[in-house]
Amino acid sequence: MNDSPGWATPGSTPSDGERPGTDGGAQQPSTPPAQPEQPARPEQPEQEQPAQPEQPAQPEQPAGDPKWSAEQPPPGQWSSPGQSPEAPPAQPQPTAGWGQQPAGPYGGQYGPQYGYPGGPGQWGPPPAAKPGVIPLRPLGLGEILDGAVATMRTHWRSVLPITLVVATLVQVISVILQKFMLDDLTVSTSEDVSTEEMIDTLGSTLATSAVVQFIQVLGTIVVTAMLTMVFSRAVLGQHSSVSDAWRESRPQLLRLIGLTLLLAFGAILLGAVLILPGILADNIGLGIVGFLVWLPLLIWLGVRFSLASPALMLEKSTVLKALARSSKLVKDTWWRIFGITLLTGVLAFFISMMIVAPFQFIGIIVFGGGLESMEAGSDMGNWGMLIVPAIGLIIAQTIVMPFQSGVTVLLYVDQRIRREGLDLELARAAGLENYGTTGG
């Protein structure tokens, strides 16, 4: 039986007696009959069929020993296996062209649901259900990025207030802290600065940066917790208000803070173990080796636990279980998640710089006394120098934070679809009946 309807078997040799137009050679006349008796039509005398004397006569073949005829059939006329000798040769169906679906036992697909990747004429999976911002199937890089942007555009009434309010609060607190901590700080480029002044300046700058970064981390935690709920509903095509997002994320907020602090403490502890011995031994080479070991190890662990936040929020799990879930989902796909995370970070960095740089330039020119004043290190605590760049940071964070959070949530959803068939559960949650049970 031919398993591929319409496909002829290439290179097959017809069995004896199965040539089209013959009957085993037993009933084939030795010479084709001439037609001299056919009268010419009066109205069309030029259409008279002459005799065919030039065709050579074929020798008679015994019935028990059929052979091939002298003339071979033209190429492409092989009959399908199992075809009777009397039946005319089956016309082979043309293969599917570019962008066409070949005929098959599943209604034009090679598989019950996602098709047969790489099959003739099939250049990717068939269209999947898309109740929300992403199709319910394994996602590509473009679909993950597009899903994050589509959620920001479609559900901006929920996304924009969350990020705008949190970013504004973070920057207001940061500006006030910087004003009072850097008010008496003057950076001098003269060569007669004492070592004590340099240490005080460096210490004040690092302390200010640490406090600002801590506030930034707390704001990011709140945004991540609430936006995770918004994005999870956007996958199902459902809207989520700010109050709904806060109500759903609030029970896990303390655990998310604990998860973030645990990861930060682990990174610091790992650096202390690897770098501190070289510093204490006053050995620069040992310290550099420790740093070169610490940095790639930190990146590897950061990617391995990058999905812990959405796992903790959406699965309502504990901190340790969220870390274990992230490690399981990232396993064997570390490089893919690392590449997507790195690309997202690079895009977010350039977007932020494009927005913040003009505000910083305006603050320096208008309120900082120009580039000369900046080189002299004066007016570092000027209100205008602090407020104008903060406005740029608010705008940048309002755009960048939901983009990065959305990519992380969609990466988590994608990994669960690939490993656990989450698309079926999502389809049921979206109200799609009998999804995945029939072909197509």
Side-chain angles (χ1 to χ4, degrees):
M1 179 179 179
N2 189 6
D3 294 332
S4 300
W7 287 83
T9 306
S12 60
T13 302
S15 59
D16 295 334
E18 293 186 355
R19 296 293 300 240
T22 63
D23 193 8
Q27 298 179 3
Q28 182 177 359
S30 59
T31 57
Q35 300 178 3
E37 306 83 14
Q38 184 175 0
R41 297 180 182 180
E43 62 278 6
Q44 296 179 353
E46 65 278 359
Q47 298 296 328
E48 183 179 358
Q49 297 291 334
Q52 303 177 4
E54 65 278 2
Q55 183 176 3
Q58 299 181 2
E60 276 191 309
Q61 301 291 341
D65 187 21
K67 296 181 183 282
W68 292 96
S69 63
E71 292 187 7
Q72 298 297 327
Q77 298 297 326
W78 300 99
S79 60
S80 299
Q83 183 180 1
S84 60
E86 295 80 11
Q91 297 293 332
Q93 299 181 2
T95 58
W98 292 90
Q100 298 178 357
Q101 284 279 15
Y106 296 104
Q109 299 174 10
Y110 286 87
Q113 184 172 352
Y114 294 126
Y116 177 76
Q122 183 152 344
W123 304 95
K130 188 178 179 181
V133 295
I134 59 170
L136 300 184
R137 56 170 171 78
L139 305 175
L141 170 62
E143 291 171 327
I144 292 176
L145 299 179
D146 181 70
V149 176
T151 303
M152 295 168 56
R153 184 176 62 250
T154 306
H155 303 273
W156 64 269
R157 290 181 178 85
S158 300
V159 174
L160 182 61
I162 294 173
T163 55
L164 182 59
V165 170
V166 174
T168 302
L169 289 176
V170 169
Q171 292 305 317
V172 167
I173 297 175
S174 299
V175 166
I176 294 175
L177 289 175
Q178 291 179 71
K179 173 61 180 177
F180 289 101
M181 295 181 70
L182 300 178
D183 192 29
D184 299 329
L185 178 64
T186 301
V187 180
S188 178
T189 58
S190 60
E191 298 179 356
D192 57 350
V193 178
S194 64
T195 305
E196 184 178 356
E197 291 177 347
M198 293 181 60
I199 294 177
D200 292 340
T201 301
L202 181 60
S204 300
T205 304
L206 292 178
T208 303
S209 300
V211 174
V212 171
Q213 288 298 321
F214 178 75
I215 297 173
Q216 180 70 39
V217 168
L218 291 179
T220 304
I221 291 174
V222 176
V223 170
T224 301
M226 299 181 67
L227 290 183
T228 299
M229 301 306 171
V230 175
F231 276 90
S232 64
R233 286 179 173 267
V235 170
L236 304 177
Q238 302 174 359
H239 292 273
S240 178
S241 63
V242 177
S243 59
D244 293 336
W246 172 251
R247 184 176 61 254
E248 294 176 359
S249 61
R250 185 175 55 188
Q252 293 293 102
L253 193 58
L254 290 179
R255 290 181 177 178
L256 184 59
I257 295 175
L259 173 65
T260 305
L261 294 179
L262 179 62
L263 292 176
F265 178 75
I268 295 174
L269 181 61
L270 183 64
V273 171
L274 295 175
I275 302 175
L276 193 58
I279 297 177
L280 296 178
D282 199 14
N283 190 329
I284 299 178
L286 182 60
I288 294 176
V289 171
F291 176 79
L292 294 178
V293 174
W294 172 74
L295 183 60
L297 189 58
L298 181 65
I299 295 175
W300 182 78
L301 291 174
V303 174
R304 191 169 184 87
F305 297 131
S306 61
L307 303 183
S309 173
L312 183 139
M313 297 301 300
L314 297 178
E315 299 180 17
K316 310 297 181 184
S317 62
T318 61
V319 173
L320 296 181
K321 287 183 179 180
L323 293 173
R325 284 287 292 156
S326 177
S327 178
K328 179 181 178 181
L329 292 174
V330 176
K331 184 180 179 182
D332 299 329
T333 57
W334 188 94
W335 284 105
R336 177 176 180 269
I337 296 179
F338 168 74
I340 296 176
T341 305
L342 178 62
L343 177 61
T344 304
V346 171
L347 292 176
F349 172 77
F350 280 106
I351 293 173
S352 299
M353 290 302 298
M354 291 174 61
I355 297 174
V356 175
F359 287 89
Q360 289 180 334
F361 183 76
I362 293 173
I364 292 173
I365 298 300
V366 177
F367 299 99
L371 297 178
E372 295 81 5
S373 179
M374 181 179 179
E375 291 178 358
S378 60
D379 294 333
M380 293 298 294
N382 185 289
W383 280 109
M385 285 282 293
L386 296 175
I387 293 176
V388 174
I391 296 174
L393 286 172
I394 291 173
I395 299 174
Q397 290 175 352
T398 302
I399 298 174
V400 167
M401 283 195 295
F403 176 68
Q404 291 182 300
S405 299
V407 170
T408 302
V409 173
L410 295 182
L411 265 176
Y412 165 81
V413 173
D414 174 62
Q415 288 301 110
R416 288 200 61 186
I417 289 177
R418 293 172 182 270
R419 294 180 177 272
E420 303 171 358
L422 182 65
D423 53 331
L424 302 179
E425 183 177 347
L426 293 175
R428 287 192 293 268
L432 302 179
E433 299 294 336
N434 302 323
Y435 180 80
T437 60
T438 59

